[in-house]
Amino acid sequence: MLNRPALFDVIEQQIAACIGTGGSFAVLMLRAHGLREIALRFGYSQAEHAGEIVQELIGMSLRPIDCVFQIGDDSYAVVLPDMLGRNHGLLAAARLSQAFEQPLVGMEAPWQLRISMGIAIYPEHGQDAELLCRRAGMALDEAQRRREPCVIYQPDETQVEVFYEELREAIEANHLQVFFQPVHDLLSKRMVAVESLARWTSPRHGEVSPARFVPFSEQSDLISALTRWSINATLRHAAPLCATGELSFAINLSPRAFSRPGMVEQLKGALDVWGVEPTAIIAEVTETALANDLESGVQVLGQLRDMGVRISIDDFGTGYASISYLHRFPATELKIDQSLVGSMQDDPHTSRLVGAIINMARHLDLATVAEGIENQVTQDRLTDMGCTYGQGFHLGRPEPAANFASRFLAGHAQR
Ligand code: C2E
Ligand code: MG
Ligand code: MG
């Protein structure tokens, strides 16, 4: 098995050759998803054997001048010399994808792997071996995030080195903003809660959506800092509103933050500092988070529940949560994903599915929240179906928490 120093040597040789000729080459990082499962199910020697088959398959799909290195349990690096353009790289990726369309043979049982690839090209994406490898790795991460087979490094989008420092500074300097979006009781039509949503306007990248920077934080060590920020910033705005006793506050908690010790204590401490009752808090967790690490998830959520915090399963209906998971979770409500709610009006099948989720939740003693309500027809339909709460642009858009708070308090004083 070849290793990282050998890989770097080959890349440095390619760079030396290209400097003379003005040529170009690519570094392709490949991850074979499923190799780890082979080790867990069939043992390490089977996994090693499978690893060798994978390396062979990669070699067979490429030209004799291309070099393959195994650089981790399920990761490989390929150096592709003499690239005439990025299409050349994509062609290699297409051949590799094709090679993994069939299950791996030559083992105890055939086994289907899935591969993700990222490509960085010399000289445009890096002038040395380390940078080229890191950037091919970033492109690979991006491919996994987007669930695409292959991504070529794009300086603007995947320049996570810059992104990382900026986001870290923004969190530390409290430059992120909290927005509140109202949640209404559908029957009484009263606002009963707000969901706290983070916003980041970066001087360099402009408005960056949380759909982008939250997953990015989860993949780096920034998630702990982001969670701490999110809890404190939300409670700071929540504290003056709490006295009215009319509102609850939903905070999105990342699954990754769960696996760090001290999350429960941190929330407890913050509630003490801001004088907010735990019963006014709803912790939102996505169902994929639950599916990934059931045991520790159940434990942490159980502790939150014991404190009096309510637990909401976010984005329900799109991930992998099964009814048996739901049964084991100390959840108090299900939040039906906006992709389902959004297509209810045009698609009777989805509408029936949402109805079934609401019924099931009722039988499990769970409240339901429909997110992404964009029109009155959908809101009426959900109310008829017995959905407990609703959220969406039709009921109110997210707005800066400070604006929300002053309007709410002014309205309250007039009553
Ligand atoms: P989410 O928790 O499912 O939040 C709902 C998202 O739907 C929000 O997007 C909200 O702006 C959007 N939305 C609400 N009503 C409508 C509607 O009627 N139509 C449409 N099309 N969209 C609607 P946003 O703010 O971009 O947040 C995206 C995701 O990022 C959130 O999804 C949540 O998972 C995550 N997130 C946001 N803030 C935080 C945070 O402070 N911490 C953590 N860990 N995650 C956060
Ligand atoms: Mg949410
Ligand atoms: Mg959601």
Side-chain angles (χ1 to χ4, degrees), residues 177-290:
Q177 266 190 298
V178 183
F179 274 48
F180 280 171
Q181 185 180 26
V183 177
H184 287 236
D185 181 311
L186 285 177
L187 258 192
S188 71
K189 297 190 163 51
R190 290 176 68 95
M191 179 172 26
V192 289
V194 290
E195 175 172 11
S196 162
L197 297 161
R199 290 287 176 271
W200 180 31
T201 310
S202 142
R204 213 180 265 168
H205 305 278
E207 290 254 339
V208 188
S209 157
R212 177 152 176 72
F213 71 77
V214 171
F216 172 75
S217 321
E218 287 175 343
Q219 278 164 356
S220 62
D221 59 352
L222 290 179
I223 191 59
S224 302
L226 180 70
T227 307
R228 201 175 322 117
W229 172 83
S230 185
I231 290 174
N232 279 291
T234 305
L235 295 183
R236 181 162 63 85
H237 290 289
L241 304 176
C242 266
T244 67
E246 289 176 14
L247 287 183
S248 299
F249 302 87
I251 306 180
N252 291 285
L253 291 180
S254 161
R256 287 291 162 93
F258 269 46
S259 51
R260 310 285 163 97
M263 225 247 348
V264 176
E265 289 70 21
Q266 201 182 315
L267 180 62
K268 240 185 218 159
L271 289 169
D272 277 350
V273 168
W274 294 107
V276 175
E277 290 298 325
T279 47
I281 300 299
I282 305 162
E284 292 197 5
V285 213
T286 58
E287 58 166 320
T288 23
L290 311 185

Side-chain angles (χ1 to χ4, degrees), residues 140-167:
L140 167 62
D141 283 354
E142 186 66 21
Q144 277 178 238
R145 256 196 300 277
R146 295 193 212 155
R147 295 195 153 270
E148 281 173 22
C150 180
V151 164
I152 295 189
Y153 175 77
Q154 278 176 10
D156 288 335
E157 214 179 328
T158 48
Q159 208 174 37
V160 286
E161 311 102 303
V162 177
F163 204 62
Y164 180 91
E165 275 311 311
E166 261 200 89
L167 181 57

